[in-house]
Amino acid sequence: MSSKPLKQIHLAAHFPGVNNTTVWSDPDAGSHIDFDSFIHFAQTAERAKFDFLFLAEGLRLREQGGRIHDLDVVGRPDTFTVLTALAAVTERLGLTGTINSTFNEPYEVARQFATLDHLSEGRAAWNVVTSWDAFTGENFRRGGFLPREDRYSRAQEFLATAHELFDSWDGTAIAADAGSGTFLRDARAGTFAHRGRHFDIEGRFNVPRSPQGRPVIFQAGDSEEGREFAAAGADAIFGRYGTLEAGREFYADVKGRLAAHGRTHDRLKILPAATFVLGDTDAEARETAHEVRRLQVSGQTAIKYLEHVWNRDLSAYDPDGPLPAIDPEPGENTIALGRASVRQFRDPLATARRWRELAGAKNLSIRELVIATTAEQTFVGSAATIAGAINDLVQADAADGFILVPHITPGGLDGFADSVVPLLQERGVFRAEYEGSTLRDHLGLAAPAPAPAPAPR
């Protein structure tokens, strides 16, 4: 009788910048901008042998009711600058950056990622996202945004074009033979020409093939288009389903699409975001988790969150009182700008009706309702409980691992590294040492095929 071999768990760390799960007011919280914070966070992740550090993207300060949403930790430094600097203070940790395909150009993004992959000796990854709102687009594009169908078709062509640029060097083009005076073995290295609906470019790509050939490609969307986009060409998904039932459904659905694109299950890793609260005992962790939720959802935050559904100014309401009797304002959300989360309320009237029923049945105030209906911590308990829960979900094919988002920056990862990771290592499901030097090595991903020789002109 054969038993299924244990899967190896993949772990990563999300630096929680612009994120209302962050408890920035905690006495132990530090700066989200100072480089020392990034160093502490990255070096903790590397000490724990994590696969990579992850940076999300924020291209405009969010506003609510015409004012900067100061309940978030506002501001986010440039991704490439931060990751390049971190490459100099880490040795093995992967470096994943979120870069938008709606407001950038393939040549500049490919050049930046190829450069990061060189400088980090093969640790670069690109989380490809699209942007949906005209508010953010005002910083970049006349007219603000692209229609939904164009955002995804542009993203697909953007990624394909970037691959053409990465592949324009075949890895053997540089001879650097001082004896013969020959530097380039292939005089046409870097030559490219792309003709498409969104991009019509040609010339020479000026960064030779990088250690990984191409950066690892992440995808973060959950729509039908996003799932197909990931199945067709991504190496990993930054997912949002951290529970057994929802995780297994998503895992089976996306991995089931790979065959149609000529890909096998091991070519795509599914890594949901996950929060955690540790305690010496499960009871202590549950008590701490309750306090963290109270800090994450202050009375003021609860009102702001309710405005995302009601699309109205609700500042006169008492967060410790009942939900508004008035209905949400229908149509496009105009009160919360720059927040992707408002799109989850596609039918605000139905959401309000459901929440009133829930609040009535459980006698919940506005703040209590928001706490009850927004994301709770994924893992709560002692180190042994959390290690067991993570392993169970991975072995049950609900995920290949998790991207951890601590609620305190930069020290929120320390306890996990010191207590949970050793238990996973004892179980034989997480590495004790890095076995390779590149991020593809860490994730168990095959290197992309060498680029074909350029066609003669």
Side-chain angles (χ1 to χ4, degrees):
M1 178 177 175
S2 63
S3 60
K4 182 181 176 182
L6 288 174
K7 290 170 62 178
Q8 289 296 299
I9 295 169
H10 297 283
L11 292 175
H14 181 183
F15 186 92
V18 182
N19 192 325
N20 59 1
T21 62
T22 300
V23 182
W24 60 267
S25 57
D26 189 290
D28 291 332
S31 170
H32 291 71
I33 300 294
D34 289 350
F35 188 50
D36 284 347
S37 290
F38 289 99
I39 293 175
H40 181 109
F41 196 77
Q43 292 184 338
T44 302
E46 187 165 69
R47 173 168 60 83
K49 315 303 178 190
F50 278 22
D51 291 43
F52 60 90
L53 174 144
F54 184 95
L55 292 183
E57 186 179 57
L59 295 175
R60 181 167 179 173
L61 291 179
R62 297 162 177 165
E63 294 181 12
Q64 186 148 339
R67 300 179 61 186
I68 291 174
H69 194 306
D70 56 1
L71 298 178
D72 281 334
V73 179
V74 298
R76 195 191 294 273
D78 176 72
T79 294
F80 282 112
T81 306
V82 172
L83 293 183
T84 302
L86 288 177
V89 296
T90 55
E91 295 181 350
R92 297 292 186 90
L93 185 69
L95 303 166
T96 302
T98 303
I99 294 295
N100 200 289
S101 64
T102 304
F103 305 127
N104 291 296
E105 294 295 320
Y107 189 94
E108 64 177 346
V109 171
R111 185 166 181 261
Q112 288 165 317
F113 270 113
T115 301
L116 178 63
D117 207 42
H118 275 289
L119 295 180
S120 65
E121 299 181 311
R123 295 185 280 143
W126 173 15
N127 181 36
V128 186
V129 297
T130 64
S131 187
W132 59 280
D133 67 318
F135 172 74
T136 300
E138 287 174 353
N139 276 353
F140 300 94
R141 178 189 297 279
R142 180 177 297 176
F145 69 109
L146 295 174
R148 181 185 180 87
E149 60 274 19
D150 284 350
R151 282 189 282 120
Y152 275 99
S153 69
R154 190 179 201 273
Q156 290 169 343
E157 189 177 335
F158 193 113
L159 183 58
T161 307
H163 281 177
E164 292 169 15
L165 296 168
F166 294 136
D167 290 349
S168 64
W169 290 75
D170 70 2
T172 62
I174 298 177
D177 184 347
S180 65
T182 303
F183 187 76
L184 282 181
R185 183 176 291 112
D186 177 0
R188 299 194 59 244
T191 302
F192 70 89
H194 176 90
R195 310 294 180 203
R197 176 188 172 200
H198 297 280
F199 308 107
D200 186 354
I201 57 176
E202 66 176 288
R204 287 288 187 96
F205 189 54
N206 62 357
V207 184
R209 193 165 181 81
S210 69
Q212 294 189 111
R214 307 168 191 162
V216 173
I217 301 298
F218 277 73
Q219 191 273 341
D222 182 38
S223 63
E224 179 64 23
E225 297 96 329
R227 294 185 185 205
E228 274 299 303
F229 182 65
D235 297 307
I237 293 181
F238 178 35
R240 65 189 183 96
Y241 298 109
T243 60
L244 180 63
E245 185 175 351
R248 293 189 73 177
E249 186 280 327
F250 181 78
Y251 192 97
D253 177 72
V254 177
K255 295 238 177 182
R257 297 171 188 243
L258 292 170
H261 300 280
R263 308 178 71 203
T264 53
H265 277 210
D266 59 343
R267 298 285 299 277
L268 179 69
K269 305 298 180 185
I270 296 180
L271 308 171
T275 55
F276 62 91
V277 176
L278 268 167
D280 289 338
T281 65
D282 289 354
E284 179 187 299
R286 285 194 295 271
E287 184 176 341
T288 303
H290 176 73
E291 292 304 314
V292 169
R293 292 295 292 146
R294 297 279 296 176
L295 291 170
Q296 290 170 331
V297 185
S298 67
Q300 189 181 8
T301 299
I303 294 296
K304 294 293 186 186
Y305 188 82
L306 207 66
E307 289 179 348
H308 296 172
V309 177
W310 260 255
N311 195 21
R312 295 172 180 268
D313 178 2
L314 302 177
S315 56
Y317 283 80
D318 179 1
D320 295 319
L323 268 65
I326 58 173
D327 282 333
E329 183 71 27
E332 182 179 355
N333 194 301
T334 57
I335 198 165
L337 300 177
R339 295 191 69 93
S341 58
V342 299
R343 292 180 296 165
Q344 67 182 298
F345 306 116
R346 299 187 187 281
D347 187 346
L349 289 172
T351 300
R353 187 165 54 249
R354 189 168 64 251
W355 283 5
R356 286 192 185 109
E357 291 173 357
L358 177 62
K362 295 189 175 184
N363 192 30
L364 301 177
S365 67
I366 290 175
R367 187 181 183 190
E368 291 167 337
L369 176 96
V370 171
I371 289 174
T373 56
T374 53
E376 297 182 353
Q377 293 87 355
T378 313
F379 301 113
V380 177
S382 67
T385 296
I386 291 179
I390 289 174
N391 188 43
D392 288 348
L393 288 170
V394 171
Q395 303 308 330
D397 286 341
D400 291 311
F402 293 92
I403 300 176
L404 299 170
V405 192
H407 61 271
I408 292 179
T409 301
L413 205 61
D414 298 8
F416 189 99
D418 293 333
S419 62
V420 180
V421 167
L423 295 178
L424 294 173
Q425 292 168 333
E426 288 177 9
R427 290 170 180 248
V429 293
F430 188 68
R431 68 173 68 85
E433 295 293 340
Y434 289 110
E435 297 175 354
S437 59
T438 71
L439 179 53
R440 287 187 183 277
D441 292 335
H442 305 341
L443 290 168
L445 296 169
R457 301 184 73 174

